[in-house]
Amino acid sequence: MREQELPSVSTATNPDGDARPLTSAVEASSVLRRAPQYPPDKPEGFSVVGKAGPKLDSFTRVTGQDRFADDIFLPNMLFGKMLRSTQAHARILRIDTSKALALPGVVAIVTGADIPVRYGILPSSPDEMVMALDTVRYVGDPIACVVADDELTAEEALALVQVEYEPLPAVMSIDEALRTDLPQLHPNPRRTNNIHKEVHLEFGDVEAGFASADRIFEDEYFFEGTTHAPIEQHAVMAQYGADQKLTLWAATQTPHYLHRIAAAVLGMPASQIRVIAPPVGGGFGGKTEPFAHELAAAFLARKTGRPVKITLTRQEVFYAHRGRHPVRFKLKTGVKADGTITAIHLQSWLDGGAYGSYGVATTYYTGALTTVTYKVPAYKFDGCRVFTNKPPCGPKRGHGTTQPRFALENQLDKIADALGLDAAEYRKRIAVDPNSTTVNGLRVTSCGLRECIDAATERTRYKEKRGKLARGRGIGLAASSYLCGAGLPIYWNAMPQSGAIVKVDRGGGVTVLSGTSECGQGSTSMLAAIIAETLGVDPSDVSVCYGDTDLTPVDLGSYSSRVTFMAGNAARDAASKARHLIAQSAAERFGVGPDRVGFAGRRVFDLGNRERSMTFIEAAQLAEARWGTIACVGSYTPPKLAAEYKGSGVGPSPAYSYSAAVAEVAVDLETGEITVEKITLAHDVGRCINATNVEGQIEGGVYMGLGEALMEEWPFRAGEHKIPNLLDYKTPTSLDTPPIEAIIVETDDKEGPFGAKEAGQGPLNPVIPAIANAVADAIRARIHSTPITPEKVLKAMDAASGTTLRLKKVTTPSKPSPVPV
């Protein structure tokens, strides 16, 4: 079967509302080499748990919530390794697994022919397979999976698998992807090049806006691709039980999406698959979609009847990628003499790598949020994402909005300088207003942008320093905004985005069940705090059960900074219902109305006479006697915010957070070396639920932005990633990290849980342009690409002084844009 003939996974919901696949996987045909004495004879493709280990059925299997996925071990477990392509682009002519299968300890090997079903995290891009069938599209593309009794044997077997390739021309850049004389990575009769997605939108009268401008500024920028570099590598453990149910323990930020895709790819009812997300050792967007190793482990566990574990090496994490897109920009802004923006035209070209991933959404995100920070009366956006023979790009912290923020904030500083304006006051004057609507139809509720700018600039004495420091020292400001969760789910439906169950027991303990994934951002403590505040108990009285598709209601996952706003609102909804039942019972005892019952300090009392009170335990028992078991369900569905144009589903959010960062730097004028001396960041978090967690998220965003600004890059040579390891891929160490001051700005959003908004991704976005603007202040020259290296600093200073050495100019493709929507 050729790739072009393959069935693809349908992501449409069936009429009865469940997530069963509409197209089943083809029955497996892999060769199974059975280990001595195990497993017993059984139907091909199905199995029971073997004699070598204890039975782990759906009632006794461990949850794994106290361990990372890589730490989970089950008896009789097999270890898997993925064979990956050594070619950037080639046809697979032959795969010979016979020598590998003959190696003692090897139990099974599967290839793309065994799971020939297309899938993709977005319904619009089902272009991936668990393993390549007849074409590999990047160095690292999975080709086969070996499982053996131990990891070393599995690695040895990989070297014995023989693959014969027919090399194809590789597409390694945006310019090459736009050409029509190179092969298409994904055949598309509607195109002659490798464009994946084009977006062309126009709002307001852009032509008139530029015509009315006193000054027009046009610049080109390049933002380098980067990877997530989480401490924990990707890992999965799969077990197929005697009850014919499959359990996956996976390092995932989105257990619901993995559950949904696994059911479709494996051809199993979703009710027979359980996905558990143990604590994830860092994700940053890199673990938000189903990966080949997760689906391969699930298939092989079902095939062999034994638990299968696959842990990616650090090099494989670089190949799995889904990191930040490299993006070129052309930015044109028209302004009045006082700096008022009259029109913006933003063009972006994204290098998407070999597969779709979240790329359609990313393309929209490079333009959608431009209008949410500053007032823009007329706006035109052209976006283009292309396929290249590189590891696929996807969402990284700040998904799609970090790159254009670098360009916009850089240019705004340039405009302020040209017009003789104070950069801070200028940003405050053009900032969006609370409770307003942008030109592209995005609703803004609370907005603390001006307060953030004031807090950060006053703390650093920005106005006293900018433009007045000695050459070689500089200070820079940038501002930004971000989502509090996407307004629409990945697969559109009318169901809630988050659900929660709150149970109150007779001993005063409270349990909340939520489908979120804890990846270090503090979602469990946030949920506990919301429940505790609602019921008047201590957070230590609250247990959080999370990320288990058998036990918890659906939550779409930990991405797009959605957990506090969406899962928090669902948890508060459930807790409020439990509170109402307890309040009614207590009110009857007090002889007052339920609205006069208060909850605090583990006590329930009459607000009119606090001497009439009882312990929370007594109130819970009273309520249970009156109503039965106290267990309540809550959910959250965002308001309908999408406008009436194609693409309006990307960008709307129930609220937006705002940030302002000030960077202070020293630049060695002889070597170009940059030392960041301090970063101060103020973040509008709505109402702060946990100050320690918020400060931690701000500091994490600053740290990540520091690396992307100064050192991280995604280079390729001859089709291969030059530095797929953490020795050569540079990220900041503790010695590189400057003092960070986090300032929490509260605005109390009316729709957030207790007024809260996000803090996970927004604080990263202003850091990179703030550093760029500080460097410009120090060297009196601007650098339009990341990372800002010493070489670029020296070339920029030479260019500014008129010497012969010039900084290479960022260029953008000359492809004309079609008529916008």
Side-chain angles (χ1 to χ4, degrees):
M1 182 180 291
R2 302 291 294 175
E3 260 185 67
Q4 288 76 15
E5 302 168 347
L6 295 180
S8 59
V9 172
S10 173
T11 52
T13 304
N14 285 325
D16 55 356
D18 65 21
R20 292 197 307 274
L22 302 184
T23 303
S24 299
V26 177
E27 184 64 30
S29 59
S30 61
V31 178
L32 176 66
R33 182 184 183 279
R34 294 177 180 167
Q37 99 277 337
Y38 184 88
D41 290 336
K42 57 190 182 304
E44 179 72 12
F46 295 90
S47 59
V48 296
V49 172
K51 297 179 290 186
K55 177 181 178 182
L56 294 173
D57 60 25
S58 60
F59 300 100
T60 60
R61 61 178 77 134
V62 297
T63 66
Q65 286 207 334
D66 58 341
R67 293 175 288 178
F68 291 100
D70 190 37
D71 293 333
I72 297 171
F73 182 87
L74 291 180
N76 216 36
M77 189 161 66
L78 296 173
F79 295 84
K81 285 291 179 181
M82 307 288 290
L83 179 68
R84 297 179 181 274
S85 171
T86 59
Q87 304 291 312
H89 196 195
R91 291 189 182 92
I92 300 173
L93 301 180
R94 183 177 63 91
I95 302 176
D96 185 350
T97 62
S98 58
K99 291 183 179 179
L101 283 166
L103 184 68
V106 173
V107 177
I109 301 177
V110 293
T111 65
D114 298 304
I115 322 174
V117 179
R118 293 181 184 274
Y119 69 94
I121 185 64
L122 296 185
S124 58
S125 300
D127 57 9
E128 295 194 57
M129 293 180 60
V130 179
M131 289 157 286
L133 181 61
D134 60 7
T135 304
V136 291
R137 295 178 173 87
Y138 69 96
V139 173
D141 212 353
I143 297 174
C145 186
V146 176
V147 289
D149 291 328
D150 61 82
E151 195 166 7
L152 292 177
T153 300
E155 287 182 353
E156 186 179 349
L158 290 184
L160 298 176
V161 178
Q162 297 178 343
V163 183
E164 184 180 345
Y165 299 101
E166 178 189 336
L168 297 170
V171 178
M172 298 303 299
S173 69
I174 294 172
D175 289 328
E176 290 180 354
L178 295 174
R179 286 167 50 180
T180 59
D181 60 337
L182 291 174
Q184 291 184 313
L185 275 68
H186 300 276
N188 183 347
R190 294 176 298 172
R191 297 191 185 278
T192 58
N193 51 26
N194 278 288
I195 290 178
H196 171 215
K197 178 65 180 179
E198 283 188 276
V199 178
H200 305 286
L201 299 170
E202 185 171 341
F203 308 92
D205 194 335
V206 175
E207 185 177 350
F210 283 121
S212 67
D214 296 320
R215 297 281 299 273
I216 294 177
F217 295 82
E218 293 187 75
D219 296 288
E220 297 182 0
Y221 299 90
F222 175 68
F223 198 102
E224 178 62 272
T226 60
T227 195
H228 313 84
I231 295 299
E232 178 202 35
Q233 293 131 249
H234 299 60
V236 64
M237 208 282 292
Q239 182 244 334
Y240 189 68
D243 53 2
Q244 297 189 351
K245 288 191 176 181
L246 176 69
T247 301
L248 291 173
W249 289 263
T252 179
Q253 296 174 241
T254 53
H256 171 64
Y257 290 142
L258 176 56
H259 181 253
R260 180 180 170 82
I261 295 292
V265 171
L266 299 174
M268 293 180 64
S271 60
Q272 294 182 10
I273 298 175
R274 180 185 187 186
V275 176
I276 298 170
V280 177
F284 314 114
K287 298 171 183 173
T288 58
E289 60 185 286
F291 284 91
H293 65 280
E294 295 166 336
L295 300 171
F299 181 88
L300 282 159
R302 194 177 179 212
K303 181 73 178 175
T304 64
R306 295 171 64 178
V308 173
K309 180 178 182 178
I310 299 177
T311 301
L312 300 191
T313 64
R314 180 58 64 178
Q315 184 173 4
E316 287 181 298
V317 172
F318 273 81
Y319 293 147
H321 194 42
R322 318 295 157 139
R324 184 121 36 228
H325 287 68
V327 186
R328 292 185 191 176
F329 291 99
K330 182 178 287 186
L331 178 60
K332 178 181 178 181
T333 302
V335 296
K336 291 291 190 181
D338 63 356
T340 300
I341 295 173
T342 61
I344 289 180
H345 181 197
L346 176 67
Q347 299 174 73
S348 65
W349 290 265
L350 296 78
D351 183 340
Y355 295 103
S357 182
Y358 284 86
V360 171
T362 313
T363 307
Y364 280 105
Y365 273 131
T366 59
L369 297 192
T370 302
T371 60
V372 173
T373 314
Y374 304 110
K375 297 171 186 172
V376 180
Y379 178 54
K380 183 178 181 180
F381 169 59
D382 298 301
C384 175
R385 184 184 192 264
V386 300
F387 289 121
T388 58
N389 291 117
K390 301 176 185 178
C393 296
K396 184 184 176 185
R397 196 175 195 169
H399 184 196
T401 67
T402 305
Q403 301 98 314
R405 183 57 48 184
F406 168 74
L408 180 61
E409 293 296 319
N410 200 316
Q411 192 181 74
L412 283 179
D413 247 35
K414 179 181 177 180
I415 292 171
D417 287 342
L419 299 180
L421 303 173
D422 177 277
E425 292 302 320
Y426 174 45
R427 284 175 168 84
K428 285 169 58 180
R429 183 155 50 79
I430 63 174
V432 295
D433 296 318
N435 304 309
S436 61
T437 301
T438 69
V439 69
N440 55 333
L442 302 180
R443 184 197 70 165
V444 176
T445 55
S446 60
C447 173
L449 179 56
R450 293 180 177 87
E451 292 88 337
C452 287
I453 293 172
D454 281 340
T457 55
E458 289 171 9
R459 192 68 56 90
T460 57
R461 294 165 42 222
Y462 171 84
K463 296 179 182 179
E464 299 174 31
K465 297 177 181 178
R466 186 172 185 271
K468 302 179 180 69
L469 299 174
R471 193 161 183 264
R473 305 187 68 83
I475 188 168
L477 167 70
S480 71
S481 56
Y482 197 66
L483 311 162
C484 292
L488 290 171
I490 286 174
Y491 62 100
W492 289 16
N493 61 81
M495 294 178 283
Q497 286 205 34
S498 288
I501 299 173
V502 169
K503 176 181 70 69
V504 180
D505 66 45
R506 299 174 184 180
V510 182
T511 300
V512 55
L513 295 89
S514 172
T516 58
S517 175
E518 173 59 77
C519 49
Q521 82 279 37
S523 62
T524 51
S525 62
M526 177 275 298
L527 291 170
I530 286 176
I531 300 300
E533 181 72 16
T534 304
L535 295 177
V537 298
D538 191 82
S540 63
D541 299 327
V542 182
S543 298
V544 181
C545 176
Y546 61 90
D548 185 326
T549 59
D550 263 15
L551 302 181
T552 61
V554 168
D555 178 88
L556 298 188
S558 298
Y559 68 96
S560 290
S561 280
R562 59 179 302 284
V563 174
T564 293
F565 207 98
M566 297 190 178
N569 266 323
R572 189 184 184 191
D573 182 34
S576 296
K577 292 173 182 176
R579 175 186 170 118
H580 180 68
L581 295 177
I582 296 170
Q584 281 189 291
S585 300
E588 293 175 2
R589 175 67 59 89
F590 297 150
V592 298
D595 56 342
R596 268 187 51 175
V597 176
F599 293 71
R602 293 176 174 152
R603 299 193 68 81
V604 178
F605 48 85
D606 177 4
L607 289 169
N609 181 3
R610 296 200 174 212
E611 292 184 1
R612 286 194 292 189
S613 69
M614 63 182 77
T615 67
F616 180 78
I617 293 175
E618 292 171 332
Q621 292 175 353
L622 195 65
E624 186 172 342
R626 171 75 170 80
W627 306 105
T629 301
I630 305 300
C632 298
V633 177
S635 62
Y636 177 76
T637 302
K640 294 182 179 180
L641 299 170
E644 297 297 325
Y645 62 87
K646 185 177 180 181
S648 65
V650 177
S653 178
Y656 299 94
S657 68
Y658 291 88
S659 304
V662 172
E664 298 175 72
V665 306
V667 180
D668 188 318
L669 301 179
E670 295 296 322
T671 67
E673 183 180 0
I674 300 168
T675 301
V676 179
E677 298 182 328
K678 184 181 179 183
I679 294 181
T680 303
L681 194 144
H683 182 66
D684 163 22
V685 72
R687 177 65 60 85
C688 181
I689 292 177
N690 184 317
T692 301
N693 278 359
V694 172
E695 289 171 359
Q697 289 296 295
I698 291 173
E699 290 165 0
V702 168
Y703 165 84
M704 186 168 282
L706 176 70
E708 295 195 64
L710 299 181
M711 59 189 74
E712 294 185 46
E713 56 183 339
W714 191 246
F716 285 78
R717 179 187 295 133
E720 289 192 64
H721 195 299
K722 288 169 58 178
I723 49 174
N725 60 77
L726 290 184
L727 178 63
D728 297 309
Y729 183 90
K730 303 301 182 186
T731 57
T733 67
S734 57
L735 296 178
D736 300 312
T737 306
I740 300 169
E741 184 172 2
I743 302 173
I744 297 172
V745 173
E746 296 191 288
T747 54
D748 195 9
D749 192 89
K750 295 187 185 309
E751 296 181 25
F754 293 106
K757 298 195 290 190
E758 74 87 33
Q761 300 188 54
L764 178 145
N765 279 354
V767 175
I768 303 164
I771 293 173
N773 288 337
V775 171
D777 187 43
I779 67 173
R780 314 301 192 252
R782 293 201 166 271
I783 296 172
H784 286 198
S785 64
T786 65
I788 305 171
T789 60
E791 293 81 4
K792 292 179 183 177
V793 169
L794 294 177
K795 290 179 180 180
M797 289 193 297
D798 287 338
S801 64
T803 58
T804 56
L805 183 60
R806 291 290 186 269
L807 179 64
K808 183 179 179 182
K809 187 177 184 295
V810 175
T811 58
T812 52
S814 57
K815 179 180 180 294
S817 299
V819 177
V821 176

